[in-house]
Amino acid sequence: MNTVFSGIQPSGLVHLGNLLGAINNWVKLSNENSKNYFCIVDLHSLTGLPNKNDLKKSINDTLKVLVASGINTKTSVIYTQSNLQEHAYLSWILSNFCQVGELQRMTQFKEKASSFGTHSGLLTYPILMASDILIHKANEVPVGDDQTQHLELTRNIAERFNTNYGEIFPIPEKTSGKSGARLMSLRHPENKMSKSSDDINGTIYFNDEKDNILKKFKSSVTDSENIVRYDPKNKPGISNLIEIYAAVNDKEISETEKEFENSQYGEFKIAVAETVIDYLDPIKKNFDDLTSDNLEDIVVSNLKSAKDSAQKTIIEVEEALGIS
Ligand code: AQP
C-alpha cells in the first residue's frame, strides 16, 4: 500500500487541466489504494495575495469539486491545509535542508515572480510543498507535469534530512495518468491551461455551460493542415485536443488519431467538446447536490485523520532533531 498525497490551490475555479492532470487520477487512486491525502493548499494560494471573499469561496468550491468528482472518501482524507498547522511548522524545519539557489532556479518562481512582484513566499513555496508531501510520509504524488521540478526538490530535501538525522522520510515518486498531464490553453496552446490565465476562452472551467464549452472548443486555435495528428511541437493546438479526448476517454493518443483519421478539424472539435460536456456533467450535478451538512461531516472527520497522521510525523522529526 502506498501513501498518496496531492494538493490543489484554491486560486480560482477548478479547470479541465486540474481535473484531467490531477483529480481524475486521484479518483482512480482512491479506488485502488487505501491511504490517500488530498489537500486544498490554501496557504500556497496566499502567494497571489487573493481577495478574502474570493479565497473563502474558492476554498469551499474546491472542496466541493473534490467530493463531487467521485474521490472515494472511505479511503481518502480531503482537508484544507491551513486547518493543519503542522504543514507550516515542518516547512520551517525543512527550509534548513534547501539552498536559496535551488529555489531561485524553479521555473514557476521565475514565471510568477515577474507577474506578482517578488516576495519571499513565492520563493519558499516549494519548501511548503515538500512539507505537504512529507508530513504524511507520502511515497506517491500524483500531479501534472508542471510540478515535476518541485517534486524533484522535495526528494532532495527528504534525502538531505535523512542523511543528517536518520531515515525518517520515504523518497516520494511522481505519478501521472497516461495522458492529460499537461493540458494547454485552447487559445494559446504554447501556455498551460491555468486558473489565472488572462484569456478565459482558453480554459474550460468545471462549471462552464454546455454552449460555452462548445463555443470554446469551436474557436480553439489549431493549424491549417486539417489532419488529426499528434505533433505537440509543430501542431500544439490539435495535439492538445487529442490529449484532452484521450484523457477523458482513457484512451491512447494513437487510438484517438486512428479514430479521427478521416475527420476534419471542425468535426473533431465538436467530438472533443461533446466528450468533455459528458465528462463534466455528473461532476456539476454532484456539485450542485452537495449540501453544507454533507460537507461539514467530511471536513470534521477528515481533519482528525489528517491531524493524527501529521502529529505522528512531527513527533518522529522532533525526536530525530533533538527538539522534542
Ligand atoms: N494545465 C494543466 N494540465 C495538467 N495538469 C494541471 N494542473 C494544473 N494545471 C494543469 C495540475 O493540477 C493540480 C493542481 O494544480 P494547482 O491548482 O495547485 O496549481 P497550478 O499548477 O498552479 O494550477 P493553475 O490552474 O495553473 O493555477 P494558477 O493559475 O493559480 O497557477 C496539480 O497537480 C497540477 O499539476
Side-chain angles (χ1 to χ4, degrees):
M1 183 186 66
N2 281 344
T3 301
V4 169
F5 176 89
S6 200
I8 180 163
Q9 292 189 65
S11 50
L13 283 172
V14 172
H15 58 76
L16 194 61
N18 300 135
L19 284 161
L20 297 182
I23 299 171
N24 229 9
N25 297 326
W26 303 357
V27 175
K28 279 190 203 137
L29 276 167
S30 76
N31 290 320
E32 293 161 3
N33 190 61
S34 58
K35 202 170 175 198
N36 313 295
Y37 297 90
F38 299 121
C39 187
I40 295 145
V41 288
D42 53 349
L43 296 179
H44 284 280
S45 54
L46 296 182
T47 55
L49 304 179
N51 163 284
K52 169 182 162 179
N53 294 328
D54 290 348
L55 180 59
K56 273 193 170 169
K57 179 168 172 9
S58 189
I59 292 170
N60 194 49
D61 283 356
T62 307
L63 176 65
K64 282 177 74 176
V65 173
L66 295 191
V67 176
S69 67
I71 291 174
N72 183 343
T73 50
K74 291 203 172 70
T75 59
S76 309
V77 176
I78 301 174
Y79 71 102
T80 303
Q81 185 188 30
S82 61
N83 289 338
L84 201 64
Q85 291 176 354
E86 284 79 356
H87 284 263
Y89 178 53
L90 182 61
S91 176
W92 166 253
I93 293 172
L94 296 180
S95 68
N96 298 294
F97 299 86
C98 181
Q99 303 293 314
V100 174
E102 290 177 296
L103 296 169
Q104 286 168 331
R105 282 196 292 277
M106 293 289 124
T107 310
Q108 226 176 64
F109 168 68
K110 290 192 221 158
E111 284 169 5
K112 293 202 169 174
S114 53
S115 43
F116 294 123
T118 313
H119 53 73
S120 60
L122 274 176
L123 184 68
T124 54
Y125 168 112
I127 306 176
L128 182 57
M129 180 168 157
S131 150
D132 300 337
I133 296 166
L134 299 176
I135 195 83
H136 297 300
K137 294 195 171 189
N139 55 354
E140 178 172 355
V141 187
V143 282
D145 277 355
D146 55 327
Q147 297 300 328
T148 304
Q149 217 184 13
H150 291 161
L151 196 76
E152 204 46 53
L153 184 65
T154 300
R155 291 164 58 85
N156 291 337
I157 290 173
E159 271 165 8
R160 285 176 204 148
F161 185 99
N162 289 352
T163 304
N164 283 284
Y165 291 99
E167 293 292 315
I168 300 289
F169 296 118
I171 308 303
E173 300 280 346
K174 170 182 175 294
T175 53
S176 41
K178 59 184 176 195
S179 49
R182 190 171 173 79
L183 294 197
M184 309 309 279
S185 159
L186 301 184
R187 303 290 297 170
H188 306 279
E190 62 288 356
N191 299 332
K192 79 164 187 159
M193 190 180 283
S194 161
K195 298 190 202 85
S196 53
S197 165
D198 290 337
D199 188 347
I200 56 166
N201 290 320
T203 299
I204 302 289
Y205 298 101
F206 85 94
N207 61 353
D208 274 346
E209 296 296 337
K210 292 179 184 179
D211 288 353
N212 202 14
I213 295 176
L214 193 58
K215 208 167 100 201
K216 286 184 181 180
F217 276 107
K218 278 186 173 171
S219 65
S220 61
V221 168
T222 47
D223 55 80
S224 54
E225 195 188 44
N226 220 1
I227 299 174
V228 180
R229 184 169 60 82
Y230 189 74
D231 177 356
K233 192 159 173 271
N234 299 307
K235 292 161 66 75
I238 206 73
S239 301
N240 190 37
L241 298 187
I242 294 173
E243 187 97 29
I244 292 172
Y245 187 89
V248 172
N249 293 295
D250 205 16
K251 288 190 168 170
E252 299 293 339
I253 299 286
S254 54
E255 271 180 281
T256 305
E257 286 177 312
K258 183 106 195 75
E259 190 175 335
F260 293 96
E261 65 187 349
N262 298 317
S263 301
Q264 309 270 308
Y265 283 172
E267 202 182 320
F268 180 53
K269 284 180 178 182
I270 292 172
V272 182
E274 283 173 348
T275 208
V276 167
I277 289 169
D278 289 347
Y279 166 68
L280 292 177
D281 202 40
I283 299 177
K284 278 194 273 190
K285 282 205 179 82
N286 291 342
F287 181 94
D288 291 338
D289 289 347
L290 271 170
T291 64
S292 39
D293 283 352
N294 298 145
L295 277 184
E296 188 60 23
D297 287 350
I298 293 171
V299 168
V300 172
S301 67
N302 282 1
L303 186 58
K304 186 178 174 328
S305 309
K307 206 163 184 66
D308 289 348
S309 155
Q311 283 178 342
K312 226 167 115 201
T313 306
I314 289 296
I315 289 171
E316 280 183 55
V317 168
E318 286 180 337
E319 272 171 10
L321 291 169
I323 59 172
S324 55

